Amino acid sequence: MATDEPPPVRFGILGCANIARKVSRAMILSPNSTIVAIGSRSLEKAANFAKNNGFPASARAYGSYDAVLDDSDVDAVYIPLPTSLHLHWAVAAAQKKKHILLEKPVALNIKELDLILEACESNGVQFMDATMWMHHPRTSKMKEFLYDSQRFGQLKTVHSIFSYNSGDDFLRNDIRVKPDLDALGALGDTGWYCIRAILWAADYELPKIVTALPDAEYNEAGVILSCAAYLHWDDGKRATFYCSFLSNLTMDISVLGANGYLRVHDFVIPFQENVGPFYVTANTKFSELSIGIDPAPSEHKINTDLPQEALMVKEFSGLVSGIKEHGSGTEKKWPTMSRKTQVVVDAVKASIDKGFVPIEVAY
């Protein structure tokens, strides 16, 4: 029986990082994608990863990353490698005409990211970073509230926190604390999410000035374990964030407008996979005798049939299918979001490195 459904996008995975377990599950859950290959520096490790994570029996395991890029059946690659390896392997993938889903932080700095994006553009491949919460239906519902001039009004300030405390083994051994692998540390990992949240709330208008707040915390190798920063816009908007590997798991966004307020306590990874809550207050006043407020805050619960990472894969695969099957152009909003986030990451890092001085954001 004929069908108009395009064939599923065929993914190859570079590396066996822990996060690849979650994203490979998403590729299996997504209705328009499948996994055809995984590569590791160890063939045995790649084969075991495929077996232990429910890959299709036809998926091929390779003992190198190059072999995945050389596989003509691979349409797109997911790259969860350490950040220091992103430039080489993302450019290599683009040159082989593979569409790219890249883990964050996408690069060590904007110079590297621009080389990646130029390779994607010149080879006509779709780029997207793997910031999963962007794809939860809650995210668009929250944005509807922020766009409501009566209930929210003009954006005034945003505050975001993403922190977790993974213990001594993480702080000794994880790639995110190694200067040769992920030199941005907590700023690149948890800070990426905070900065993206702020830009999302500000409709991706970049701040004018970024100032890191003293003092950052470092490990013995000089990698950032916690930091905070203040962002300022010419129109008076301001934002702050705190990111850390040393504090209790917290994933908050608070957004304050002239007429309303939004908060969410699990923006990075929802506490429950199938529902995402958020809370709003609008046109709030103290009640009679100031013994309460009116109206009371309201909670909104947004259900989803697929987890946010599967929705990310579905969105990405739909873009790839459009390019493959219909000759569509690449969707530019995703690399633009990544680039703006990276620009602010760079400004925070520069402020820290120069003694917490204000840095003008240049795009």
Side-chain angles (χ1 to χ4, degrees):
M1 185 174 176
T3 176
D4 292 331
E5 288 295 319
V9 168
R10 301 167 298 180
F11 274 93
I13 300 173
L14 302 190
C16 299
N18 192 50
I19 188 65
R21 295 173 58 209
K22 181 174 184 174
V23 177
S24 62
R25 172 178 176 259
M27 292 170 185
I28 294 166
L29 288 172
S30 172
N32 59 348
S33 61
T34 189
I35 305 168
V36 297
I38 181 166
S40 171
R41 290 171 295 178
S42 159
L43 175 59
E44 181 183 13
K45 187 175 181 181
N48 286 336
F49 190 93
K51 178 182 176 182
N52 294 334
N53 289 282
F55 283 24
S58 57
R60 292 176 289 279
Y62 293 114
S64 73
Y65 305 142
D66 279 310
V68 176
L69 302 186
D70 289 335
D71 189 328
S72 60
D73 287 341
V74 171
D75 300 314
V77 291
Y78 167 59
I79 306 178
L81 298 170
T83 311
S84 62
L85 301 179
H86 284 188
L87 174 60
H88 175 86
W89 290 107
V91 169
Q95 290 172 343
K96 292 293 179 74
K97 310 296 185 186
K98 310 299 186 186
H99 303 276
I100 296 170
L101 181 62
L102 185 60
E103 265 305 331
K104 25 60 42 202
V106 287
L108 293 174
N109 53 58
I110 195 65
K111 182 180 178 181
E112 287 193 358
L113 178 57
D114 280 346
L115 291 172
I116 293 171
L117 296 182
E118 286 164 13
C120 291
E121 181 72 19
S122 62
N123 287 283
V125 299
Q126 181 64 51
F127 175 93
M128 182 186 286
D129 71 49
T131 308
M132 299 170 187
W133 74 273
M134 305 305 301
H135 303 271
H136 197 292
R138 170 176 64 181
T139 304
S140 59
K141 283 293 182 185
M142 292 192 297
K143 185 52 87 65
E144 287 178 13
F145 176 72
L146 300 186
Y147 281 148
D148 188 326
S149 61
Q150 299 302 311
R151 299 179 65 228
F152 184 77
Q154 183 183 8
L155 174 64
K156 294 295 187 180
T157 189
V158 188
H159 181 59
S160 182
I161 301 173
F162 182 22
S163 66
Y164 55 84
N165 185 344
S166 293
D168 291 340
D169 183 67
F170 175 95
L171 293 174
R172 282 195 305 268
N173 300 313
D174 196 88
I175 64 167
R176 285 164 282 191
V177 298
K178 302 294 185 183
D180 56 331
L181 297 175
D182 268 299
L184 293 170
L187 173 60
D189 184 44
T190 57
W192 176 275
Y193 288 95
C194 297
I195 290 166
R196 175 62 63 84
I198 290 166
L199 292 176
W200 166 81
D203 220 17
Y204 299 98
E205 178 191 351
L206 284 167
K208 178 74 170 177
I209 300 291
V210 168
T211 310
L213 303 177
D215 285 324
E217 295 177 274
Y218 308 87
N219 65 11
E220 291 178 357
V223 175
I224 295 168
L225 300 180
S226 80
C227 66
Y230 167 75
L231 290 66
H232 184 265
W233 285 256
D234 277 343
D235 64 1
K237 289 193 298 287
R238 71 283 314 265
T240 53
F241 76 85
Y242 172 74
C243 62
S244 175
F245 291 154
L246 303 172
S247 306
N248 188 61
L249 176 60
T250 302
M251 303 177 286
D252 280 10
I253 312 173
S254 299
V255 190
L256 180 62
N259 303 327
Y261 175 70
L262 177 148
R263 58 189 169 92
V264 57
H265 294 309
D266 58 352
F267 82 98
V268 178
I269 299 172
F271 297 147
Q272 295 177 272
E273 192 173 61
N274 63 345
V275 62
F278 67 97
Y279 309 83
V280 302
T281 55
N283 301 298
T284 315
K285 309 292 182 188
F286 288 116
S287 60
E288 186 73 16
L289 301 181
S290 297
I291 57 175
I293 65 167
D294 184 52
S298 58
E299 180 181 14
H300 302 261
K301 292 184 176 181
I302 309 303
N303 296 308
T304 180
D305 293 331
L306 288 172
Q308 59 185 12
E309 60 272 17
L311 293 171
M312 173 184 73
V313 171
K314 183 181 177 184
E315 169 76 14
F316 178 79
S317 298
L319 295 173
V320 172
S321 287
I323 295 166
K324 277 185 61 188
E325 305 298 326
H326 308 295
S328 305
T330 57
E331 173 57 73
K332 300 298 193 291
K333 76 174 183 178
W334 297 110
T336 299
M337 288 179 192
S338 300
R339 193 175 191 278
K340 288 186 174 184
T341 309
Q342 186 74 52
V343 162
V344 178
V345 169
D346 281 18
V348 176
K349 184 67 164 58
S351 179
I352 292 170
D353 290 346
K354 294 178 180 180
F356 306 95
V357 300
I359 299 292
E360 189 164 343
V361 176
Y363 186 68

